[in-house]
Amino acid sequence: ASRSGMERIMGNHRPGAVVRASALGMLSSSCSYAASAMSKNLFAKGADFITAQVFMLASTNLVIEIGLVLIVLLGWPFAAAEFIGGPIMIVLLAWWGATLFPHNITHPAQERLREGSTADQASEAAPGMSGLRTKLSTPATWANAAGYTLADLTMLRKELLIGFVVAGLLTTVVPDAVWRVVFLQNQGIWTSIQNAFIGPLVAVISFVCSVGNVAMAAALWTGGVSFGGVIAFIFGDLITLPLVLIYRKYYGPKLALRLMLSLWLLMSISGLIVE
């Protein structure tokens, strides 16, 4: 994709760009690691930061396979909640985006990412399908694509290993009684509010990818966590500790922290609204 094309299609967070990013994210159907990498690449290419994060949310929360797994393990109400809560998060992000991610914070991060890009000049070749065919038939295009892939894998391999080990331990070692202590129970509306805000925080330390975390969500549901808390936990695959470390590498510590806190807020509110 050329920078000029990316700026034209996703260079702002107006409704049209948000809808396009949501649709492309749904089609991309990625795990949280791949979605974060693609979102970073879109941002580096000229996409608005908010629109790039919309793409990431749609890529992990509005895809068919997670709906199928939810139906099998938890039932159709959870699948419906996933596809209702995802758009709620996207609308809230687009609505609050300018406040959460002002230009003076996101622009320096975008410039740093662009400085690290080696393929920008090559990607500005002739536009249109003929230009795309030319690029795909050029060995340099495939070499650049492979270079980006290996760079992402090299950056993420430690975080991936940490995440899977922690997820395995938490799933098999921690008993249901512990979750009953962590999540408030039998307190009416306060239970719903507390569970919805704690759910994503549990996801921070219990990484499983955007489809794999449904199994742990089923364990939480069995353990007595509220409906909204379980949904918020499922949304929380994008703020797991390994991914927060990845955001820090991508965007710098200040923007990464703001992104993590903002996503936690959006996930919690969306889970509560869905319940």
Side-chain angles (χ1 to χ4, degrees):
S2 68
R3 183 182 296 182
S4 58
M6 187 66 69
E7 290 175 345
R8 183 177 65 255
I9 294 172
M10 292 190 186
N12 57 67
H13 55 275
R14 290 193 287 269
V18 169
V19 170
R20 285 190 290 271
S22 300
L24 291 171
M26 291 175 67
L27 292 173
S28 78
S29 182
S30 304
C31 76
S32 47
Y33 284 131
S36 66
M38 285 192 289
S39 175
K40 178 263 295 182
N41 289 339
L42 293 175
F43 180 51
K45 276 289 185 181
D48 180 82
F49 183 79
I50 299 162
T51 304
Q53 305 317 308
V54 165
F55 174 93
M56 183 173 70
L57 288 172
S59 183
T60 55
N61 292 299
L62 296 179
V63 292
I64 293 175
E65 62 266 32
I66 193 170
L68 296 176
V69 175
L70 281 166
I71 291 171
V72 171
L73 294 183
L74 285 166
W76 70 263
F78 284 90
E82 177 77 13
F83 287 97
I84 294 171
I88 290 174
M89 278 196 295
I90 288 171
V91 169
L92 292 177
L93 177 58
W95 183 19
W96 296 339
T99 301
L100 296 173
F101 306 108
H103 184 72
N104 65 309
I105 292 178
T106 61
H107 184 68
Q110 188 174 50
E111 289 301 311
R112 285 196 303 272
L113 288 172
R114 284 176 173 174
E115 289 172 3
S117 173
T118 59
D120 254 3
Q121 298 299 322
S123 72
E124 294 298 331
M129 289 305 297
S130 59
L132 178 60
R133 283 193 292 267
T134 301
K135 294 176 192 176
L136 292 178
S137 63
T138 303
T141 298
W142 293 96
N144 284 329
Y148 277 111
T149 301
L150 291 174
D152 284 335
L153 287 174
T154 300
M155 177 181 289
L156 305 184
R157 59 188 176 187
K158 291 180 182 178
E159 285 82 358
L160 281 167
L161 178 61
I162 293 170
F164 282 117
V165 171
V166 171
L169 288 173
L170 287 174
T171 302
T172 57
V173 173
V174 178
D176 289 344
V178 173
W179 302 124
R180 295 190 184 100
V181 172
V182 173
F183 291 91
L184 189 67
Q185 309 233 329
N186 303 318
Q187 299 297 320
I189 186 63
W190 297 113
T191 293
S192 297
I193 294 172
Q194 191 262 7
N195 284 197
F197 278 85
I198 292 295
L201 297 181
V202 172
V204 172
I205 60 170
S206 60
F207 170 77
V208 213
C209 72
S210 55
V211 174
N213 67 351
V214 178
M216 188 164 178
L220 294 177
W221 179 241
T222 303
V225 178
S226 71
F227 187 89
V230 173
I231 290 298
F233 169 81
I234 294 171
F235 290 154
D237 65 295
L238 288 171
I239 58 171
T240 61
L241 183 57
L243 272 171
V244 173
L245 297 176
I246 289 169
Y247 298 148
R248 186 179 185 277
K249 290 182 178 179
Y250 286 166
Y251 308 124
K254 185 176 181 180
L255 183 53
L257 179 61
R258 182 179 288 261
L259 177 60
M260 185 266 187
L261 294 175
S262 298
L263 289 176
W264 166 63
L265 180 66
L266 294 171
M267 292 162 180
S268 301
I269 293 175
S270 298
L272 189 59
I273 290 174
V274 169
E275 180 176 343

